[in-house]
Amino acid sequence: MGQAASGGLTQFDVDDVINSTNGLFGQAEVESLYKRFRALDRGRKGYISAEEFLGIPELSINPLAQRLVRTFECVNFKEFTRLLSMFSGKASRDEKLAFMFSVYDVDGDGILSRDDLLIMLRQLAGSSMSDAELDEVIDRVLKETQASAPATNASVHGIDLQTYKTTLAGVDLSHMVVEVPIEY
C-alpha cells in the first residue's frame, strides 16, 4: 500500500487527502492534522464523535457549537480534512461562503428559510432576545436580502446561496482561517 508517511498514514493516503481538499492542505499540514485527528479520536474508532468534538476548547465556547458538531459529527479523517479545508488560508471566498451557508441551512434544502434563521439566531443569541425581537431581526434580514437580490422563487421563500454571496460581498472573511501547526 505504500510507505508510512506519518504514524499510520501512507503516502497514498496523504496524496488522497491532498486531492480531496483540492490542494488546500499540503503534505505537512495533512500529517499534522492526522496527529490532531488521532488525539481527538480517543477510542481509535476511525471517526470523531460529537462528544469528542465538543472537547475542543475553541469549539465548545462557540455559540454555534451544537450546529457545527452536527456538521462534523462522526467524520473520518478524510472528511475531517475536507471540512477543515474551508478554514484554510488557501480556500476561496466562494468556498468559505458556501460552507457558512451550509451551516446556516439547517434543513439542507438550499434555502435559508425563516425557520433556519430562527434556529441559528436562537443559538447565537441564547435567551438574550425575545421571540418578538428574533422575528424582527429575521424580517429585517429577509427584507434587506430580497431588496438586493433579483426576484426569484428562492428569494420569496428565503435566501439562496447566490443571494447569500451577493449580500455578503463586502464582508471581510480574513478571520475565517485556522493555521495548522506544522512540526519540522
Side-chain angles (χ1 to χ4, degrees):
M1 186 169 195
Q3 192 170 354
S6 174
L9 277 183
T10 65
Q11 188 60 50
F12 176 82
D13 296 330
V14 172
D15 292 342
D16 188 38
V17 168
I18 290 171
N19 287 333
S20 76
T21 62
N22 297 318
L24 294 174
F25 291 132
Q27 173 130 359
E29 292 167 310
V30 169
E31 291 176 8
S32 180
L33 286 169
Y34 186 68
K35 288 178 185 171
R36 180 67 170 151
F37 178 84
R38 287 185 52 138
L40 291 170
D41 178 17
R42 292 183 293 247
R44 297 284 189 253
K45 305 168 298 304
Y47 65 89
I48 300 173
S49 69
E51 179 183 295
E52 290 164 335
F53 260 110
L54 289 173
I56 302 170
E58 300 85 356
L59 181 59
S60 65
I61 61 170
N62 188 314
L64 298 178
Q66 291 300 323
R67 177 69 185 131
L68 290 169
V69 163
R70 275 190 234 96
T71 302
F72 284 95
E73 187 175 12
C74 295
V75 295
N76 63 28
F77 178 64
K78 191 173 180 179
E79 294 164 333
F80 177 74
T81 56
R82 197 173 28 245
L83 290 166
L84 287 179
S85 70
M86 294 303 104
F87 298 97
S88 164
K90 299 175 194 171
S92 72
R93 179 178 184 78
D94 274 357
E95 290 169 316
K96 290 178 184 212
L97 288 171
F99 175 76
M100 290 168 44
F101 182 87
S102 72
V103 170
Y104 291 121
D105 184 14
V106 176
D107 58 13
D109 66 354
I111 302 291
L112 299 183
S113 66
R114 173 176 279 286
D115 289 342
D116 292 330
L117 295 172
L118 182 60
I119 290 167
M120 296 310 297
L121 209 53
R122 274 198 178 123
Q123 287 182 357
L124 287 168
S127 61
S128 66
M129 293 178 76
S130 68
D131 286 346
E133 290 170 318
L134 292 171
D135 283 336
E136 184 180 323
V137 169
I138 292 169
D139 288 341
R140 197 169 354 145
V141 166
L142 291 172
K143 182 178 179 180
E144 288 177 17
T145 56
Q146 289 167 358
S148 67
T152 65
N153 188 39
S155 67
V156 172
H157 299 289
I159 304 166
D160 63 9
L161 179 58
Q162 189 55 50
T163 303
Y164 182 78
K165 288 179 179 180
T166 302
T167 303
L168 296 177
V171 175
D172 177 20
L173 299 180
S174 63
H175 64 282
M176 195 174 155
V177 175
V178 173
E179 295 295 326
V180 177
I182 299 172
E183 299 172 13
Y184 292 100

